[in-house]
Amino acid sequence: MLYYLFDFLHRHYNVPGTGVFQYTSFRAAMAVVTSLIIAQLFGKRLIAILRRKQIGETVRDLGLQGQLEKKGTPTMGGLIILLAILVPTLLFAKLDNIYVILMILSTVWLGLIGFVDDYIKVVKKDKEGLAGRFKLLGQLGLGLTVGWVLFFSHDVTVRQYLLSNGQISAVDASRVYQDVKLMITTIPFAKNNELNYGDLFATAGDFFNEYYAFFYIPIVIIIIMAVSNGANITDGLDGLAAGTSAIIGTTLGIFAFVSGNAVLADYLDIMFIPNVGELTIFCTAFVGACVGFLWYNSYPAQVFMGDTGSLAIGGIIAVLALIVRKELLIPVLCGIFLVENLSVMVQVSYFKYTKRKYGEGRRLLRMSPLHHHYQKLGYHESKIVSRFWIVGIMLAVLTLVTLKLR
């Protein structure tokens, strides 16, 4: 909103200083500062309201160190994250940008699903919360919407360059180019690192060539479900999900900035995606929201994000990765989420297998998800979180290295 106001003042009245809003970098900086301020101011008031209404976490005794001390800690703190993301985005981003619209939609969509789940748990006192099938249905609906828009919207394009031999490329800095509707993504660590989803079905006949959206959209749905649930599972220790998400969000913000800047994309020899640079504002707001929330969520936590926050941040990360065409890097960038997810799947599968084979269930880990396994081994909660952050930073650096290492 402020972008349009200052743009109007700059173009029609040439008011000194208003032209600075034309720069993505300036608006991104303003977004992160605003996000941090909102998280600070709104967070304190929300925690007081939640305490007054006795909206606190119910804790099952799982024998974990310091677990029972968390009983009664206010939850639904994800509202802090949602507000700190949405307000700066609405103030500083171009709201007619298709990618910004998709990110706002994803944030609100999954935030509402998480809010309903938390409301049923803590207000209605139903420990089961929202039925799992309804959560999955909501995630499926978002995945279907995002996949449909990315595949069919003519505003979603990539720049293709005409080479001297008559072929086209997504990464050659030729002066002859066109912005085309093409579903390609980046293959990490590969020299010619663009994968056209359509090529996967090039030999399968005209029908598959024309309608491979029916295969692309399910991929989008699976990615959104996997990352969203991974963030939800990771949210088990004070500051773990928020800190990890801030690291991932920073990385995706860098990808959005360089992929949306023709000069940087040319220099790095990467795919240029028109208009995607505007997502830098959303990414900095997202990082500011996560860091601002950590002020109250770091050990010992004054508030938990609940599903309101964890489902939303996971979905946001998934959709961001899809938009900047880096979904194949998710296993590396979101390695913490992936390992946490796998630890639960492996634990449950092994328990069922050994129960069927030996008559009693056995466990590979002392407890799942993985962060609880380390708690059972006697590691302090803050040490586990710090080390997970360090691993997250290492994975983020490895992801960024793919910009040049091929």
Side-chain angles (χ1 to χ4, degrees):
M1 296 177 185
L2 287 180
Y3 166 79
Y4 295 103
L5 172 62
F6 283 92
D7 180 58
F8 175 82
L9 293 174
H10 175 67
R11 285 188 293 106
H12 293 279
Y13 299 100
N14 200 26
V15 176
T18 53
V20 74
F21 270 75
Q22 301 298 316
Y23 294 95
T24 301
S25 55
F26 173 79
R27 289 184 287 125
M30 292 299 295
V32 71
V33 170
T34 305
S35 182
L36 287 167
I37 292 172
I38 290 172
Q40 290 294 300
L41 298 180
F42 178 66
K44 186 174 183 180
R45 287 168 173 77
L46 178 65
I47 292 170
I49 293 170
L50 293 174
R51 287 190 183 279
R52 193 160 56 245
K53 293 186 177 294
Q54 297 183 333
I55 300 177
E57 184 79 5
T58 57
V59 177
R60 289 187 301 140
D61 188 4
L62 300 175
L64 298 172
Q65 181 183 5
Q67 181 191 22
L68 295 180
E69 298 171 8
K70 299 176 184 288
K71 186 176 182 180
T73 302
T75 189
M76 298 174 75
L79 292 171
I80 301 170
I81 297 176
L82 297 182
L83 192 70
I85 293 173
L86 292 172
V87 172
T89 301
L90 292 173
L91 287 176
F92 298 107
K94 298 178 183 178
L95 302 181
D96 58 348
N97 183 289
I98 185 65
Y99 302 121
V100 172
I101 294 171
L102 267 183
M103 293 315 307
I104 292 173
L105 174 67
S106 302
T107 304
V108 174
W109 191 310
L110 288 177
L112 281 174
I113 294 172
F115 177 81
V116 171
D117 185 47
D118 286 337
Y119 183 83
I120 294 172
K121 285 179 182 176
V122 300
V123 177
K124 297 297 184 181
K125 306 299 181 184
D126 183 351
K127 294 180 181 179
E128 298 300 321
L130 184 66
R133 63 181 180 276
F134 292 119
K135 286 185 187 178
L136 291 176
L137 189 63
Q139 292 169 331
L140 188 150
L142 177 64
L144 181 64
T145 304
V146 171
W148 189 272
V149 171
L150 290 179
F151 192 91
F152 290 106
S153 174
H154 294 291
D155 292 324
V156 179
T157 60
V158 294
R159 183 155 293 178
Q160 293 283 283
Y161 299 93
L162 183 65
L163 305 183
S164 56
N165 60 7
Q167 296 180 339
I168 58 173
S169 168
V171 296
D172 188 90
S174 167
R175 291 184 179 274
V176 182
Y177 66 84
Q178 56 183 338
D179 296 336
V180 297
K181 183 70 192 169
L182 196 62
M183 296 314 300
I184 59 176
T185 190
T186 304
I187 305 174
F189 303 110
K191 190 169 183 64
N192 298 314
N193 64 340
E194 273 69 49
L195 168 68
N196 187 337
Y197 283 102
D199 289 344
L200 297 176
F201 308 100
T203 60
D206 293 339
F207 176 82
F208 291 98
N209 249 336
E210 190 171 351
Y211 297 103
Y212 67 92
F214 295 110
F215 298 90
Y216 173 75
I217 293 175
I219 292 173
V220 173
I221 293 170
I222 291 169
I223 290 172
I224 290 176
M225 284 184 171
V227 181
S228 182
N229 290 326
N232 188 238
I233 290 172
T234 304
D235 182 33
L237 298 179
D238 297 350
L240 180 56
T244 304
S245 298
I247 295 166
I248 296 171
T250 301
T251 308
L252 289 171
I254 294 171
F255 277 125
F257 185 74
V258 299
S259 298
N261 185 295
V263 175
L264 290 175
D266 175 19
Y267 171 73
L268 293 169
D269 199 29
I270 61 173
M271 185 192 314
F272 174 64
I273 309 172
N275 302 315
V276 84
E278 198 65 20
L279 280 185
T280 311
I281 288 90
F282 182 91
C283 290
T284 53
F286 174 73
V287 172
C290 291
V291 173
F293 181 73
L294 271 176
W295 184 271
Y296 301 105
N297 185 240
S298 56
Y299 182 85
Q302 297 171 256
V303 65
F304 299 139
M305 69 170 67
D307 284 6
T308 306
S310 61
L311 285 177
I313 62 177
I316 287 168
I317 288 168
V319 178
L320 278 171
L322 285 161
I323 290 175
V324 297
R325 315 294 176 112
K326 297 294 183 289
E327 62 267 28
L328 297 183
L329 278 168
I330 285 177
V332 180
L333 178 59
C334 301
I336 298 294
F337 294 167
L338 176 63
V339 170
E340 293 275 49
N341 246 335
L342 289 176
S343 69
V344 174
M345 294 168 62
V346 170
Q347 183 86 326
V348 172
S349 299
Y350 186 73
F351 185 87
K352 289 181 178 179
Y353 167 75
T354 53
K355 188 173 184 179
R356 187 169 58 251
K357 186 172 182 177
Y358 303 110
E360 63 174 2
R362 301 176 184 177
R363 294 174 173 83
L364 287 172
L365 302 174
R366 293 199 177 186
M367 190 175 178
S368 65
L370 186 62
H371 55 260
H372 287 327
H373 169 73
Y374 288 112
Q375 276 190 292
K376 285 286 190 179
L377 290 176
Y379 289 90
H380 192 274
E381 182 172 342
S382 58
K383 183 179 287 291
I384 298 170
V385 171
S386 298
R387 289 183 173 176
F388 272 54
W389 285 355
I390 292 170
V391 173
I393 293 170
M394 292 169 61
L395 293 173
V397 172
L398 179 60
T399 304
L400 289 172
V401 163
T402 63
L403 287 171
K404 292 301 288 182
L405 186 61
R406 300 169 196 163

